[in-house]
Amino acid sequence: MDHFAYQNGALHAEDVALATIAEQVGTPCYVYSSATLRRHAQVFAAGLAAVPAKHIAFAVKSNPNLAVLRLLASEGYGADVVSAGEMDRALAAGIPGADIVFSGVGKTADELTRALKAGVGQFNLESEEEGVELAQIAAGLGMTAQAALRVNPDVDAKTHAKISTGMAENKFGVAYDRAAGIYARLSVLPGLTMRGLAVHIGSQLSQLKPLEDAFTKMGALMRAIRANGQTITHMDLGGGVGVPYKDGENFPTPADYGAMVARVTADWGVTLMFEPGRVIAGNSGVLITRVVRVKEGVTHPFVIVDAAMNDLARPALYGAWHDFWAVTPNGERFTANIVGPICESSDTFAMGREIDVVKAGDLAVFRTAGAYGATMANTYNSRALVPEVMVEGDKWAIVAQRIDPATILAAEQVPDWLK
Ligand SMILES: *Cc1c(COP(=O)(O)O)cnc(C)c1O
Protein backbone atom coordinates (compact mmCIF):
# COMPACT_ATOMS: atom_id res chain seq x y z
CA MET A 1 0.00 0.00 0.00
CA ASP A 2 1.20 3.52 -0.73
CA HIS A 3 0.00 7.10 -0.43
CA PHE A 4 0.08 8.14 -4.09
CA ALA A 5 -3.53 8.47 -5.26
CA TYR A 6 -5.83 10.62 -7.37
CA GLN A 7 -7.88 13.34 -5.69
CA ASN A 8 -10.33 15.14 -7.98
CA GLY A 9 -8.57 13.72 -11.02
CA ALA A 10 -5.08 14.87 -10.03
CA LEU A 11 -2.35 12.58 -8.66
CA HIS A 12 -1.26 13.47 -5.14
CA ALA A 13 1.45 12.34 -2.77
CA GLU A 14 -0.51 12.25 0.48
CA ASP A 15 -2.25 15.67 0.41
CA VAL A 16 0.13 17.42 -1.94
CA ALA A 17 -0.64 17.71 -5.65
CA LEU A 18 2.32 16.42 -7.64
CA ALA A 19 1.71 19.22 -10.15
CA THR A 20 2.52 21.76 -7.42
CA ILE A 21 5.87 20.11 -6.73
CA ALA A 22 6.65 19.83 -10.45
CA GLU A 23 5.96 23.52 -10.97
CA GLN A 24 8.07 24.67 -8.05
CA VAL A 25 10.97 22.21 -8.22
CA GLY A 26 11.00 21.39 -11.92
CA THR A 27 11.18 17.96 -13.51
CA PRO A 28 12.40 15.28 -13.37
CA CYS A 29 12.12 15.03 -9.60
CA TYR A 30 11.76 12.22 -7.07
CA VAL A 31 8.97 12.47 -4.50
CA TYR A 32 8.87 10.35 -1.33
CA SER A 33 5.85 9.84 0.90
CA SER A 34 6.68 9.92 4.62
CA ALA A 35 3.47 8.10 5.49
CA THR A 36 4.35 5.26 3.12
CA LEU A 37 7.92 4.97 4.42
CA ARG A 38 6.67 4.92 7.98
CA ARG A 39 3.96 2.41 7.20
CA HIS A 40 6.37 0.06 5.45
CA ALA A 41 8.85 0.31 8.32
CA GLN A 42 6.10 -0.54 10.82
CA VAL A 43 4.55 -3.34 8.75
CA PHE A 44 7.95 -5.00 8.23
CA ALA A 45 8.71 -4.83 11.96
CA ALA A 46 5.20 -6.06 12.83
CA GLY A 47 5.69 -9.05 10.50
CA LEU A 48 8.61 -10.06 12.76
CA ALA A 49 6.61 -9.72 15.98
CA ALA A 50 7.07 -13.45 16.69
CA VAL A 51 10.87 -13.10 16.60
CA PRO A 52 11.94 -12.52 20.21
CA ALA A 53 15.28 -10.72 19.67
CA LYS A 54 15.90 -8.73 16.51
CA HIS A 55 17.72 -5.79 14.98
CA ILE A 56 16.48 -4.18 11.78
CA ALA A 57 18.97 -2.20 9.71
CA PHE A 58 17.71 -0.35 6.64
CA ALA A 59 19.85 -1.10 3.58
CA VAL A 60 21.12 2.42 2.95
CA LYS A 61 22.17 1.65 -0.61
CA SER A 62 18.49 1.38 -1.62
CA ASN A 63 17.79 5.01 -0.65
CA PRO A 64 20.56 6.93 1.12
CA ASN A 65 18.75 10.28 1.27
CA LEU A 66 19.45 11.93 4.62
CA ALA A 67 15.78 12.73 5.30
CA VAL A 68 14.74 9.16 4.50
CA LEU A 69 17.39 7.82 6.90
CA ARG A 70 16.28 10.29 9.56
CA LEU A 71 12.66 9.17 9.24
CA LEU A 72 13.64 5.50 9.49
CA ALA A 73 15.91 6.23 12.45
CA SER A 74 12.85 7.70 14.19
CA GLU A 75 11.14 4.33 13.57
CA GLY A 76 13.96 2.60 15.43
CA TYR A 77 15.76 1.33 12.35
CA GLY A 78 19.51 0.94 12.26
CA ALA A 79 21.49 1.04 9.02
CA ASP A 80 23.20 -1.51 6.80
CA VAL A 81 25.99 0.31 4.96
CA VAL A 82 28.40 -0.76 2.24
CA SER A 83 30.86 2.15 2.25
CA ALA A 84 32.26 4.81 4.57
CA GLY A 85 30.17 7.32 2.63
CA GLU A 86 26.99 5.47 3.54
CA MET A 87 28.19 5.15 7.14
CA ASP A 88 28.68 8.92 7.33
CA ARG A 89 25.13 9.42 6.06
CA ALA A 90 23.70 7.04 8.65
CA LEU A 91 25.63 8.80 11.42
CA ALA A 92 24.53 12.21 10.11
CA ALA A 93 20.92 11.00 10.21
CA GLY A 94 21.34 10.26 13.92
CA ILE A 95 21.67 6.48 13.71
CA PRO A 96 24.05 5.40 16.49
CA GLY A 97 27.23 3.62 15.40
CA ALA A 98 26.16 0.61 17.45
CA ASP A 99 23.10 0.22 15.20
CA ILE A 100 25.16 0.21 12.01
CA VAL A 101 26.11 -2.99 10.20
CA PHE A 102 29.00 -2.62 7.77
CA SER A 103 28.56 -4.93 4.76
CA GLY A 104 30.33 -4.89 1.42
CA VAL A 105 32.78 -7.02 -0.48
CA GLY A 106 35.64 -4.50 -0.74
CA LYS A 107 35.92 -2.52 2.49
CA THR A 108 39.31 -0.75 2.49
CA ALA A 109 41.67 -0.54 5.47
CA ASP A 110 40.78 3.14 5.71
CA GLU A 111 37.06 2.34 5.81
CA LEU A 112 37.55 -0.38 8.44
CA THR A 113 39.55 2.05 10.58
CA ARG A 114 36.95 4.80 10.30
CA ALA A 115 34.14 2.37 11.07
CA LEU A 116 35.92 1.08 14.18
CA LYS A 117 36.40 4.63 15.41
CA ALA A 118 32.72 5.35 14.76
CA GLY A 119 31.76 2.39 16.95
CA VAL A 120 30.07 0.37 14.20
CA GLY A 121 28.10 -2.45 15.84
CA GLN A 122 28.82 -5.28 13.42
CA PHE A 123 31.16 -5.93 10.53
CA ASN A 124 29.89 -8.47 8.02
CA LEU A 125 33.11 -10.06 6.79
CA GLU A 126 33.16 -11.18 3.19
CA SER A 127 36.39 -13.18 3.42
CA GLU A 128 38.96 -14.62 5.81
CA GLU A 129 41.45 -12.08 4.50
CA GLU A 130 39.16 -9.21 5.47
CA GLY A 131 38.70 -10.71 8.95
CA VAL A 132 42.46 -10.96 9.49
CA GLU A 133 42.92 -7.35 8.37
CA LEU A 134 40.07 -6.07 10.56
CA ALA A 135 41.48 -7.95 13.57
CA GLN A 136 44.92 -6.37 13.03
CA ILE A 137 43.53 -2.87 12.68
CA ALA A 138 41.25 -3.24 15.70
CA ALA A 139 44.02 -4.70 17.88
CA GLY A 140 46.29 -1.83 16.81
CA LEU A 141 43.66 0.63 18.01
CA GLY A 142 43.20 -1.31 21.26
CA MET A 143 39.66 -2.19 20.17
CA THR A 144 37.63 -5.33 19.55
CA ALA A 145 35.46 -5.53 16.43
CA GLN A 146 32.16 -7.42 16.55
CA ALA A 147 31.90 -9.45 13.39
CA ALA A 148 29.75 -11.88 11.43
CA LEU A 149 30.95 -14.05 8.55
CA ARG A 150 28.97 -13.69 5.34
CA VAL A 151 28.36 -17.08 3.82
CA ASN A 152 27.37 -17.86 0.28
CA PRO A 153 24.76 -20.61 0.67
CA ASP A 154 24.77 -21.50 -3.05
CA VAL A 155 21.03 -20.99 -3.43
CA ASP A 156 19.40 -19.67 -6.59
CA ALA A 157 17.38 -16.62 -5.54
CA LYS A 158 15.36 -16.85 -8.79
CA THR A 159 15.72 -13.14 -9.42
CA HIS A 160 17.52 -11.05 -12.06
CA ALA A 161 21.12 -12.29 -12.56
CA LYS A 162 22.56 -8.83 -11.81
CA ILE A 163 20.93 -8.67 -8.36
CA SER A 164 21.44 -12.33 -7.45
CA THR A 165 24.21 -12.73 -4.87
CA GLY A 166 24.00 -16.18 -3.30
CA MET A 167 25.11 -18.60 -5.98
CA ALA A 168 28.52 -20.26 -5.73
CA GLU A 169 29.97 -18.21 -8.59
CA ASN A 170 28.90 -14.84 -7.11
CA LYS A 171 31.57 -12.65 -5.54
CA PHE A 172 29.86 -12.35 -2.15
CA GLY A 173 30.75 -14.10 1.10
CA VAL A 174 32.75 -17.28 1.68
CA ALA A 175 31.90 -20.71 0.29
CA TYR A 176 29.50 -22.66 2.48
CA ASP A 177 31.83 -25.64 2.86
CA ARG A 178 34.75 -23.48 3.96
CA ALA A 179 32.80 -21.27 6.38
CA ALA A 180 33.17 -23.37 9.56
CA GLY A 181 36.96 -23.55 9.18
CA ILE A 182 37.25 -19.83 8.53
CA TYR A 183 34.97 -19.05 11.48
CA ALA A 184 37.13 -21.17 13.80
CA ARG A 185 40.36 -19.50 12.65
CA LEU A 186 38.93 -15.96 12.91
CA SER A 187 37.44 -16.69 16.34
CA VAL A 188 40.85 -16.95 17.99
CA LEU A 189 42.24 -13.66 16.64
CA PRO A 190 42.81 -10.83 19.12
CA GLY A 191 40.87 -7.70 18.11
CA LEU A 192 37.94 -9.68 16.77
CA THR A 193 34.83 -11.16 18.36
CA MET A 194 33.12 -13.52 15.95
CA ARG A 195 29.48 -13.44 16.93
CA GLY A 196 27.58 -14.88 14.01
CA LEU A 197 26.88 -15.54 10.37
CA ALA A 198 25.33 -13.37 7.66
CA VAL A 199 23.54 -14.24 4.45
CA HIS A 200 21.96 -12.19 1.64
CA ILE A 201 21.07 -14.09 -1.51
CA GLY A 202 19.78 -11.29 -3.71
CA SER A 203 17.25 -8.57 -4.23
CA GLN A 204 13.67 -8.33 -5.53
CA LEU A 205 12.87 -11.90 -4.49
CA SER A 206 9.36 -12.89 -5.48
CA GLN A 207 9.22 -16.16 -3.57
CA LEU A 208 10.03 -17.17 -0.01
CA LYS A 209 11.33 -20.64 -0.94
CA PRO A 210 14.91 -19.59 -1.86
CA LEU A 211 15.12 -17.55 1.35
CA GLU A 212 13.83 -20.47 3.41
CA ASP A 213 16.33 -22.81 1.75
CA ALA A 214 19.16 -20.38 2.49
CA PHE A 215 18.10 -19.84 6.13
CA THR A 216 17.75 -23.59 6.67
CA LYS A 217 21.30 -24.12 5.38
CA MET A 218 22.54 -21.31 7.61
CA GLY A 219 20.87 -22.95 10.63
CA ALA A 220 22.69 -26.20 9.93
CA LEU A 221 25.99 -24.34 9.59
CA MET A 222 25.33 -22.47 12.83
CA ARG A 223 24.84 -25.78 14.65
CA ALA A 224 28.02 -27.23 13.15
CA ILE A 225 30.02 -24.17 14.24
CA ARG A 226 28.60 -24.34 17.76
CA ALA A 227 29.41 -28.06 17.88
CA ASN A 228 33.02 -27.08 17.07
CA GLY A 229 33.03 -25.02 20.27
CA GLN A 230 32.64 -21.54 18.81
CA THR A 231 30.01 -19.02 19.86
CA ILE A 232 27.14 -17.70 17.77
CA THR A 233 24.84 -15.08 19.27
CA HIS A 234 23.72 -13.25 16.10
CA MET A 235 22.43 -14.39 12.72
CA ASP A 236 22.03 -11.78 9.98
CA LEU A 237 19.40 -12.81 7.43
CA GLY A 238 20.00 -9.89 5.04
CA GLY A 239 17.33 -8.27 2.88
CA GLY A 240 15.89 -9.19 -0.47
CA VAL A 241 12.10 -9.26 -0.02
CA GLY A 242 10.67 -8.04 -3.33
CA VAL A 243 7.91 -5.56 -4.09
CA PRO A 244 5.29 -5.41 -6.85
CA TYR A 245 6.30 -3.06 -9.67
CA LYS A 246 3.26 -3.84 -11.81
CA ASP A 247 -0.28 -3.22 -10.70
CA GLY A 248 -1.78 -6.53 -9.57
CA GLU A 249 1.49 -8.46 -9.05
CA ASN A 250 1.47 -10.77 -6.06
CA PHE A 251 4.36 -10.79 -3.61
CA PRO A 252 4.94 -12.39 -0.22
CA THR A 253 3.91 -9.95 2.50
CA PRO A 254 6.11 -9.01 5.46
CA ALA A 255 3.75 -11.14 7.56
CA ASP A 256 4.38 -14.19 5.32
CA TYR A 257 8.12 -13.52 5.47
CA GLY A 258 8.03 -13.06 9.26
CA ALA A 259 6.08 -16.28 9.77
CA MET A 260 8.58 -18.23 7.67
CA VAL A 261 11.53 -16.70 9.54
CA ALA A 262 9.96 -17.40 12.95
CA ARG A 263 9.32 -21.03 11.97
CA VAL A 264 12.78 -21.71 10.53
CA THR A 265 14.68 -19.98 13.35
CA ALA A 266 12.49 -21.00 16.32
CA ASP A 267 15.25 -22.93 18.12
CA TRP A 268 18.25 -20.85 17.07
CA GLY A 269 18.60 -18.88 20.33
CA VAL A 270 20.15 -15.81 18.69
CA THR A 271 19.43 -12.16 17.95
CA LEU A 272 18.24 -12.07 14.36
CA MET A 273 19.44 -9.20 12.18
CA PHE A 274 17.61 -7.95 9.08
CA GLU A 275 18.67 -5.63 6.26
CA PRO A 276 15.57 -4.69 4.26
CA GLY A 277 15.90 -2.02 1.58
CA ARG A 278 13.51 -2.22 -1.35
CA VAL A 279 10.55 -3.50 0.69
CA ILE A 280 10.71 -0.33 2.80
CA ALA A 281 11.56 2.30 0.19
CA GLY A 282 10.42 0.95 -3.19
CA ASN A 283 6.77 1.91 -3.20
CA SER A 284 7.43 5.03 -1.12
CA GLY A 285 8.67 7.05 -4.07
CA VAL A 286 7.77 8.17 -7.57
CA LEU A 287 9.75 9.97 -10.24
CA ILE A 288 7.80 12.89 -11.74
CA THR A 289 8.56 13.63 -15.35
CA ARG A 290 7.19 15.94 -18.02
CA VAL A 291 6.46 14.86 -21.56
CA VAL A 292 8.78 16.73 -23.93
CA ARG A 293 6.88 15.66 -27.04
CA VAL A 294 5.20 12.70 -28.64
CA LYS A 295 6.67 11.60 -31.95
CA GLU A 296 5.28 9.23 -34.49
CA GLY A 297 6.79 5.75 -34.59
CA VAL A 298 6.64 2.85 -37.03
CA THR A 299 4.48 0.68 -34.76
CA HIS A 300 3.67 2.87 -31.77
CA PRO A 301 4.19 6.53 -30.96
CA PHE A 302 7.23 7.48 -28.85
CA VAL A 303 6.43 9.39 -25.68
CA ILE A 304 9.65 11.31 -25.05
CA VAL A 305 9.89 12.33 -21.38
CA ASP A 306 12.37 14.60 -19.64
CA ALA A 307 13.49 11.81 -17.26
CA ALA A 308 16.14 9.45 -18.56
CA MET A 309 18.26 6.42 -17.70
CA ASN A 310 20.63 8.70 -15.77
CA ASP A 311 17.77 9.58 -13.39
CA LEU A 312 16.23 6.09 -13.13
CA ALA A 313 18.61 3.39 -14.27
CA ARG A 314 16.67 0.24 -13.45
CA PRO A 315 14.91 -0.21 -16.80
CA ALA A 316 18.20 0.20 -18.68
CA LEU A 317 20.16 -1.96 -16.20
CA TYR A 318 17.74 -4.79 -15.54
CA GLY A 319 14.94 -4.34 -18.04
CA ALA A 320 12.86 -3.36 -15.01
CA TRP A 321 9.21 -2.35 -15.25
CA HIS A 322 7.93 0.86 -13.63
CA ASP A 323 4.24 1.67 -13.92
CA PHE A 324 3.66 4.98 -15.74
CA TRP A 325 0.67 7.10 -14.72
CA ALA A 326 -0.41 10.49 -16.02
CA VAL A 327 -0.70 13.08 -13.25
CA THR A 328 -4.06 14.27 -14.65
CA PRO A 329 -5.30 11.41 -16.85
CA ASN A 330 -8.17 12.17 -19.22
CA GLY A 331 -9.47 8.59 -19.14
CA GLU A 332 -8.17 7.63 -22.57
CA ARG A 333 -5.47 5.01 -23.13
CA PHE A 334 -3.06 4.30 -25.96
CA THR A 335 -0.17 1.98 -26.71
CA ALA A 336 3.18 3.75 -26.83
CA ASN A 337 6.92 3.49 -26.27
CA ILE A 338 8.23 5.60 -23.39
CA VAL A 339 11.78 6.88 -23.86
CA GLY A 340 14.15 9.44 -22.39
CA PRO A 341 16.29 11.98 -24.27
CA ILE A 342 19.67 10.24 -23.78
CA CYS A 343 21.59 9.15 -26.85
CA GLU A 344 21.42 5.41 -26.23
CA SER A 345 18.71 2.96 -27.17
CA SER A 346 18.92 1.58 -23.62
CA ASP A 347 17.33 4.85 -22.51
CA THR A 348 13.93 3.21 -22.88
CA PHE A 349 11.40 2.90 -20.06
CA ALA A 350 8.79 0.81 -21.90
CA MET A 351 8.03 -0.52 -25.37
CA GLY A 352 4.55 -1.09 -26.70
CA ARG A 353 2.92 -0.43 -23.35
CA GLU A 354 -0.70 0.56 -22.82
CA ILE A 355 -0.67 3.82 -20.85
CA ASP A 356 -2.71 6.94 -20.17
CA VAL A 357 -2.84 9.19 -23.20
CA VAL A 358 -0.32 12.00 -22.71
CA LYS A 359 0.80 14.88 -24.89
CA ALA A 360 3.63 17.41 -24.86
CA GLY A 361 3.76 19.32 -21.58
CA ASP A 362 1.81 16.75 -19.56
CA LEU A 363 3.15 15.45 -16.26
CA ALA A 364 3.43 11.76 -15.45
CA VAL A 365 5.13 9.55 -12.89
CA PHE A 366 7.15 6.38 -12.87
CA ARG A 367 5.94 4.51 -9.82
CA THR A 368 7.85 2.37 -7.32
CA ALA A 369 10.94 4.51 -7.76
CA GLY A 370 11.81 4.98 -4.08
CA ALA A 371 14.47 2.25 -4.00
CA TYR A 372 17.50 2.05 -6.30
CA GLY A 373 16.21 5.21 -8.00
CA ALA A 374 17.81 8.54 -7.09
CA THR A 375 20.77 6.74 -5.54
CA MET A 376 21.80 5.31 -8.92
CA ALA A 377 21.40 8.65 -10.70
CA ASN A 378 24.33 10.13 -12.57
CA THR A 379 24.95 13.04 -14.91
CA TYR A 380 25.44 11.19 -18.20
CA ASN A 381 24.85 13.42 -21.24
CA SER A 382 25.71 16.39 -18.95
CA ARG A 383 22.32 16.29 -17.35
CA ALA A 384 21.53 17.59 -13.87
CA LEU A 385 21.65 15.32 -10.83
CA VAL A 386 17.96 14.75 -10.11
CA PRO A 387 16.43 16.46 -7.03
CA GLU A 388 14.39 14.74 -4.29
CA VAL A 389 11.34 15.94 -2.36
CA MET A 390 9.68 14.53 0.74
CA VAL A 391 5.98 14.92 1.50
CA GLU A 392 4.37 14.71 4.94
CA GLY A 393 0.61 15.23 4.93
CA ASP A 394 0.06 18.61 3.29
CA LYS A 395 3.69 19.67 3.81
CA TRP A 396 6.58 19.09 1.48
CA ALA A 397 10.25 19.99 1.28
CA ILE A 398 13.18 19.57 -1.06
CA VAL A 399 15.43 16.95 0.58
CA ALA A 400 18.10 16.93 -2.15
CA GLN A 401 18.74 19.90 -4.41
CA ARG A 402 19.09 19.52 -8.14
CA ILE A 403 22.80 19.73 -8.97
CA ASP A 404 23.04 21.61 -12.20
CA PRO A 405 25.44 20.76 -15.04
CA ALA A 406 27.13 24.14 -14.42
CA THR A 407 28.11 23.05 -10.89
CA ILE A 408 29.58 19.84 -12.23
CA LEU A 409 31.39 21.74 -14.99
CA ALA A 410 32.84 24.06 -12.35
CA ALA A 411 34.62 21.09 -10.73
CA GLU A 412 36.54 20.39 -13.94
CA GLN A 413 39.62 22.18 -15.18
CA VAL A 414 41.88 22.35 -18.18
CA PRO A 415 45.52 21.47 -17.29
CA ASP A 416 48.24 24.12 -17.71
CA TRP A 417 49.66 22.53 -20.84
CA LEU A 418 46.37 22.89 -22.67
CA LYS A 419 45.81 26.51 -21.73
C1 LIG B 1 21.44 -4.73 -1.23
C2 LIG B 1 21.58 -5.42 0.09
C3 LIG B 1 20.51 -5.47 0.98
C4 LIG B 1 19.14 -4.92 0.65
O1 LIG B 1 18.50 -5.62 -0.37
P1 LIG B 1 16.96 -5.32 -0.70
O2 LIG B 1 16.66 -6.23 -1.81
O3 LIG B 1 16.86 -3.88 -1.08
O4 LIG B 1 16.18 -5.62 0.53
C5 LIG B 1 20.72 -6.07 2.21
N1 LIG B 1 21.92 -6.59 2.55
C6 LIG B 1 22.98 -6.57 1.72
C7 LIG B 1 24.26 -7.16 2.14
C8 LIG B 1 22.84 -5.98 0.46
O5 LIG B 1 23.89 -5.98 -0.38
Side-chain angles (χ1 to χ4, degrees):
M1 200 208 119
D2 63 59
H3 296 76
F4 298 94
Y6 292 98
Q7 296 181 24
N8 299 321
L11 191 57
H12 283 60
E14 304 187 28
D15 295 324
V16 178
L18 290 180
T20 305
I21 295 172
E23 263 151 43
Q24 296 190 35
V25 182
T27 53
C29 170
Y30 280 92
V31 178
Y32 307 127
S33 156
S34 304
T36 311
L37 280 165
R38 218 172 267 123
R39 183 187 142 81
H40 289 174
Q42 290 167 3
V43 167
F44 188 83
L48 295 167
V51 172
K54 58 184 167 282
H55 181 271
I56 309 179
F58 176 63
V60 171
K61 78 173 193 280
S62 68
N63 189 326
N65 182 276
L66 189 60
V68 169
L69 299 183
R70 181 75 172 196
L71 184 154
L72 293 172
S74 76
E75 290 295 327
Y77 274 53
D80 174 65
V81 304
V82 294
S83 69
E86 285 191 354
M87 177 184 77
D88 289 344
R89 285 174 170 275
L91 293 168
I95 296 173
D99 282 334
I100 297 177
V101 176
F102 202 151
S103 299
V105 77
K107 305 177 201 75
T108 65
D110 180 54
E111 286 180 314
L112 293 172
T113 305
R114 287 183 51 196
L116 280 164
K117 289 181 176 165
V120 156
Q122 179 171 302
F123 292 83
N124 285 357
L125 304 173
E126 297 257 359
S127 64
E128 181 166 9
E129 294 83 347
E130 183 190 341
V132 169
E133 189 166 358
L134 176 62
Q136 270 167 4
I137 295 170
L141 292 169
M143 302 176 81
T144 304
Q146 304 289 315
L149 182 62
R150 179 164 177 183
V151 176
N152 185 327
D154 194 17
V155 166
D156 183 352
K158 304 239 162 46
T159 185
H160 193 284
K162 288 185 186 170
I163 48 175
S164 185
T165 57
M167 278 185 278
E169 69 270 26
N170 291 134
K171 69 177 175 179
F172 298 98
V174 302
Y176 187 84
D177 295 339
R178 300 189 55 226
I182 293 172
Y183 197 94
R185 290 192 291 278
L186 290 179
S187 288
V188 299
L189 296 181
L192 203 58
T193 298
M194 290 306 294
R195 69 179 202 180
L197 302 172
V199 67
H200 172 76
I201 61 170
S203 198
Q204 184 54 8
L205 272 60
S206 57
Q207 304 160 36
L208 293 177
K209 181 76 170 57
L211 287 168
E212 178 165 354
D213 290 350
F215 299 165
T216 303
K217 284 185 90 167
M218 296 300 286
L221 181 59
M222 175 194 76
R223 282 185 272 273
I225 288 172
R226 282 177 169 165
N228 282 346
Q230 282 94 45
T231 304
I232 290 188
T233 56
H234 291 71
M235 291 288 284
D236 188 332
L237 302 184
V241 179
V243 300
Y245 280 86
K246 273 185 209 180
D247 231 4
E249 266 179 342
N250 226 349
F251 269 76
T253 64
D256 298 336
Y257 172 77
M260 179 275 284
V261 166
R263 176 166 48 76
V264 173
T265 66
D267 63 352
W268 285 15
V270 294
T271 297
L272 288 181
M273 320 262 302
F274 299 91
E275 305 167 348
R278 191 187 309 267
V279 71
I280 307 296
N283 280 308
S284 305
V286 299
L287 174 62
I288 313 185
T289 187
R290 198 179 284 281
V291 177
V292 177
R293 67 180 60 84
V294 179
K295 88 169 196 176
E296 200 181 312
V298 174
T299 323
H300 303 298
F302 286 93
V303 172
I304 305 165
V305 296
D306 69 357
M309 63 189 281
N310 73 302
D311 306 303
L312 176 61
R314 300 187 64 259
L317 273 180
Y318 319 129
W321 176 292
H322 286 268
D323 275 345
F324 180 84
W325 290 5
V327 166
T328 50
N330 65 7
E332 287 167 41
R333 309 273 291 172
F334 70 160
T335 300
N337 307 321
I338 310 168
V339 300
I342 282 184
C343 296
E344 290 215 14
S345 294
S346 56
D347 188 23
T348 296
F349 292 106
M351 290 298 284
R353 181 164 335 159
E354 193 201 299
I355 56 171
D356 295 326
V357 168
V358 287
K359 59 180 192 316
D362 285 355
L363 291 170
V365 297
F366 291 104
R367 285 174 50 78
T368 317
Y372 307 102
T375 183
M376 285 192 182
N378 59 66
T379 62
Y380 186 39
N381 275 210
S382 288
R383 291 167 52 84
L385 206 53
V386 62
E388 297 162 83
V389 163
M390 182 180 274
V391 171
E392 164 97 43
D394 58 4
K395 290 187 300 215
W396 65 274
I398 294 174
V399 294
Q401 300 280 350
R402 170 178 287 100
I403 298 179
D404 286 317
T407 305
I408 294 159
L409 181 59
E412 298 176 19
Q413 48 205 340
V414 173
D416 284 347
W417 69 87
L418 287 176
K419 279 182 183 157

